[in-house]
Amino acid sequence: MNLAQRKLTDLQAYIDYLHEAGQLLRVHSPVDPIHELAGFAKAHEGGKVVLFEKVKRAPCPVLMGLYWNRQILADLFETSYEALPFKLADEIAAWKKRPMPPVVVPRGPANEVVESAPDLGRLPIPRHWLKDGGRYLTSSVVIARHPDTGVRNASIHRFMVKAGDRMALDLEEKGHLRAYFRIAEARRRPLEITINNGVDPSVHFAAATPGSVAPIDVDELGIASQLLGEPLRLVRSQCVGVEGIATAQFVIEAEIVPRVRSAEGPYGEITGYYAQRKPRWLARVKCITRRRRPVLHNILPGLEVYHAFALSAEAGMTAVVKRQVPGVRTVTLSLGSVPYHAVVQMRKTSNTAPRRAIRAAFDSLVFLKMVTVVDEDVNPFDPRDVEWAVATRCRPERDISLFRDVPGHRLNPSVIRGKWTRIGYDATVPLPRAKAFERSRMAAVDPTRFRTSG
Ligand code: MN
């Protein structure tokens, strides 16, 4: 992608780019990091990226919304909305063939200032949802080393501030960081980490790559090098034995403490519900390094998390479903579905093909709950068009399939004793296509050719 050639190597460069592209909303008035900042951001979700220039009681600005608009990301990566997931997948495939490891440098912008008496209370970390248990750092990339092999891992976690030098965090059951910590904890050793805030999208997408694509024995930070078109620069830490991202805004050097758990939550999750308060893991901050003039980056739970997840999932799902069912054009996760609902668009070759596509889609992503199959004349990226197809083309007694008592997703409250029922909608026109199903169309007119007023 050669982002480095285009000088897109840190958040400041992206802010300049967005400003020039007319995609940056600057908020000049002071904003309170408790509820107000997130509330403002929510009102702009999916639109321009928001830079809060003044945050009350805090010394630096906050950027939100970098990932909530897929069109902005597509423009950034010089591709189209539809092609973006495949572009990322192609880059990952190229990285697998010819890995480009990161390089370690002694210093970089991320350690211009060293704060050896860390105080998280001074950072403008927001409180997002009304019933959240605290202030949450949501967009930070955690780097750790495997206790035996030393292989680096990069992953994204939510952190709740507990004290000036303490944060509770969530470790996903099957995540590599959890596996690393399990080994360290069995030896009663802490696991050293760096928490990198304000990284550029190359690092973000590298860290968001699922374990099925970047297994535990490879350093996924090489994906960032691939996207940059040059080796990613890492910076040596002050008090832990694992590196930080040289171009980050803040590098929080910390360790996950063995045999200690700390209450974390509630936290408003991507599902639209609160993750419950439970004993989870505890990170002790040893020092914080930062730029002289940093911008704290935060991700607003919702569309932003959806895109970060969907972009990596969709390319993988499309490849699997296409391989199994000829005629499939694309598989996408519906914008409104958090993302539990996949939409398959296909050129139908037989009346049984949509049903096979439904099964293939469920096989391609373990926590899907719904699959809808549509024809080529329906826009799979537009939930209104998909609903129109279900409303006018699906005959429930014939076109709905249920898959009962399969394992459900842990965050979804409709799951009972770990199980739910999956549903598939065939919203395609039966073959041979009857005339009644022909979509009415109007002429394509370019409105900019006409003089208008009012
Ligand atoms: Mn990994």
Side-chain angles (χ1 to χ4, degrees), residues 183-424:
I183 298 168
E185 189 172 47
R187 297 169 189 165
R188 307 191 174 207
R189 300 275 306 153
L191 183 73
E192 293 185 329
I193 57 173
T194 58
I195 305 162
N196 298 268
N197 179 268
V199 298
D200 67 276
S202 71
V203 175
H204 173 88
F205 284 114
T209 306
S212 54
V213 179
I216 195 158
D217 56 350
V218 302
D219 179 359
E220 56 261 87
L221 285 172
I223 296 171
S225 305
Q226 174 70 34
L227 296 175
L228 288 166
E230 66 177 32
L232 171 73
R233 286 184 307 135
L234 301 176
V235 73
R236 222 164 273 141
S237 291
Q238 311 298 310
C239 31
V240 295
V242 58
E243 298 81 9
I245 304 290
T247 54
Q249 305 297 307
F250 293 90
V251 178
I252 301 171
E253 300 182 12
E255 59 184 25
I256 307 177
V257 186
R259 305 166 76 86
V260 173
R261 296 295 184 268
S262 177
E264 188 263 346
Y267 180 66
E269 262 295 349
I270 183 174
T271 51
Y273 298 97
Y274 289 96
Q276 295 308 301
R277 187 176 181 84
K278 266 170 64 176
R280 295 194 175 92
W281 295 265
L282 181 71
R284 194 170 69 84
V285 178
K286 296 177 134 182
C287 73
I288 299 177
T289 74
R290 62 169 173 87
R291 289 171 175 251
R292 228 165 265 126
R293 299 187 62 187
V295 176
L296 189 99
H297 179 220
N298 232 257
I299 279 183
L300 190 72
L303 262 188
E304 269 206 280
V305 187
Y306 160 85
H307 282 306
F309 169 79
L311 288 178
S312 50
E314 285 179 6
M317 294 168 69
T318 303
V320 170
V321 179
K322 262 187 176 169
R323 218 166 25 236
Q324 292 182 31
V325 188
V328 167
R329 292 188 45 180
T330 198
V331 182
T332 184
L333 288 160
S334 168
L335 270 177
S337 74
V338 215
Y340 293 113
H341 178 197
V343 180
V344 179
Q345 187 202 45
M346 69 186 300
R347 177 193 292 273
K348 197 170 155 179
T349 49
S350 77
N351 281 321
T352 56
R355 206 163 279 243
R356 276 183 285 130
I358 288 169
R359 284 183 179 276
F362 279 133
D363 288 343
S364 75
L365 192 64
V366 64
F367 56 76
L368 279 186
K369 184 178 181 183
M370 283 165 66
V371 174
T372 302
V373 185
V374 298
D375 292 300
E376 278 182 300
D377 62 347
V378 173
N379 178 359
F381 302 103
D382 179 357
R384 288 199 307 185
D385 225 27
V386 173
E387 188 175 338
W388 172 84
V390 173
T392 63
R393 295 179 172 181
C394 174
R395 262 174 50 192
E397 73 281 9
R398 177 194 64 195
D399 296 329
I400 288 181
S401 11
L402 297 179
F403 306 85
R404 291 171 203 277
D405 293 325
V406 293
H409 186 236
R410 65 183 175 106
L411 290 179
N412 190 306
S414 74
V415 168
I416 297 174
R417 286 182 290 276
K419 298 281 179 69
W420 64 11
T421 295
R422 287 172 146 184
I423 184 164

Side-chain angles (χ1 to χ4, degrees), residues 28-72:
H28 309 305
S29 312
V31 175
D32 198 308
I34 307 302
H35 301 310
E36 198 173 60
L37 191 150
F40 185 103
K42 201 73 188 170
H44 291 269
E45 189 177 31
K48 292 183 182 184
V49 181
V50 181
L51 180 67
F52 296 94
E53 292 179 337
K54 291 197 193 84
V55 181
K56 287 182 185 168
R57 304 178 297 283
C60 75
V62 172
L63 186 77
M64 260 194 173
L66 189 54
Y67 300 103
W68 67 27
N69 183 327
R70 187 144 151 188
Q71 190 57 56
I72 290 180

